[in-house]
Amino acid sequence: LERFVTLVQDFNRTDGFSRQDLGTIHDAFCLFDEGTGQIDVLQVAAMLRWMGYSIEHDRADSYFQAVNYKGESLLGFVPLLRLMRLHREDNVRRIRDVFEQHCNDELVIKQERLKK
């Protein structure tokens, strides 16, 4: 039971990210942090784009507001992890929707459907 509690605590602390993912996110955060230990929504959007994600400002703002419990204009690293988890879950949900919409009975997406 103690090992399970430790696992749950680790998961909650890291929002389910691996050590490698945490390192990548932290490195990106540090690139866009201007020494305050916090970033604003424009920096979040720029950081996500720098990390290779295609994201509109409105979507970045919706993630920002979802984790911004105090209504402040800046986020620290811990709330940013929650934002990144929301972004990851949203991406997985959209990929699953496309897969379910276009896959055949063999659970394969035909190449001609991918081009659409």
Side-chain angles (χ1 to χ4, degrees), residues 13 15 17 22 25 77-85:
R13 191 180 76 253
D15 274 290
F17 289 106
L22 286 172
I25 295 166
F77 184 69
V78 172
L80 178 72
L81 284 179
R82 291 187 192 105
L83 182 149
M84 294 300 294
R85 188 193 75 224

Side-chain angles (χ1 to χ4, degrees), residues 27-43:
D27 290 347
F29 177 80
C30 289
L31 281 174
F32 289 89
D33 170 26
E34 297 174 348
T36 63
Q38 298 180 315
I39 59 176
D40 65 21
V41 68
L42 293 175
Q43 291 166 313

Side-chain angles (χ1 to χ4, degrees), residues 1 7 13 18 28 50 57 59 66-67 79-81 90 96:
L1 181 64
L7 174 70
R13 191 180 76 253
S18 69
W50 181 85
H57 175 74
R59 185 173 301 278
V67 300
L80 178 72
L81 284 179
D90 194 31
R96 185 181 316 121

Side-chain angles (χ1 to χ4, degrees), residues 99-115:
F99 181 79
E100 289 174 355
Q101 184 178 28
H102 297 288
C103 75
N104 62 23
D105 292 336
E106 297 166 358
L107 299 179
V108 175
I109 299 176
K110 294 186 178 186
Q111 190 162 359
E112 63 269 8
R113 293 207 174 220
L114 289 175
K115 294 177 183 178

